[in-house]
């Protein structure tokens, strides 16, 4: 059974940092592109970052370039999102996603709140 479990969210002040993790199981993690999305209150879910199966290529939304870093550890079946210089507009529920056999699978998300 494919499962994605996010962790690491919380309350942080503007300018602070958080590291999100997404633990994957139920599929051969090392073969798949992994992505982080976020959904702010009242807004549509948006792509934040993606990483290829071996980690050689990454892609970021313009709004997080230079502040966020996606990485993965295929030995641990985990993808990470290091978030630095956080802004109030980064407040959202963050989800990881994998497209497996043409179907998108999502975790339940982790809430990140950036506020003073």
């Amino acid at each position: 059974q494919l499962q994605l479990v996010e962790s690491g969210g919380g309350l942080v002040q503007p300018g602070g940092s958080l590291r999100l993790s997404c633990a994957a199981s139920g599929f051969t993690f090392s073969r798949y592109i992994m992505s982080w999305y976020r959904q702010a209150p009242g807004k549509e879910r948006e792509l934040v970052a993606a990483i290829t199966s071996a980690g050689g290529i990454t892609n970021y939304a313009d709004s997080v370039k230079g502040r966020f870093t996606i990485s993965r550890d295929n030995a641990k079946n985990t993808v990470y999102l290091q978030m630095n210089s956080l802004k109030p507009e980064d407040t959202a529920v963050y989800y990881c996603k994998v497209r497996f056999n043409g179907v998108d699978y999502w975790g339940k998300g982790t809430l990140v709140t950036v506020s003073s």
Side-chain angles (χ1 to χ4, degrees), residues 16-88:
S17 297
L18 280 176
R19 188 194 196 204
L20 306 184
S21 300
C22 172
S25 60
F27 64 105
T28 307
F29 178 79
S30 61
R31 294 182 181 176
Y32 291 88
I33 295 170
M34 296 298 298
S35 305
W36 283 98
Y37 283 72
R38 67 185 180 187
Q39 187 165 19
K43 296 189 176 181
E44 293 187 354
R45 195 170 295 189
E46 64 174 353
L47 176 65
V48 175
I51 187 167
T52 52
S53 56
I57 299 174
T58 57
N59 185 45
Y60 297 93
D62 287 344
S63 59
V64 306
K65 280 181 182 176
R67 300 189 297 122
F68 290 11
T69 302
I70 188 171
S71 62
R72 65 191 296 160
D73 185 337
N74 286 345
K76 295 183 178 180
N77 287 358
T78 301
V79 60
Y80 304 97
L81 186 68
Q82 177 67 44
M83 306 187 295
N84 298 330
S85 302
L86 283 161
K87 304 176 181 180

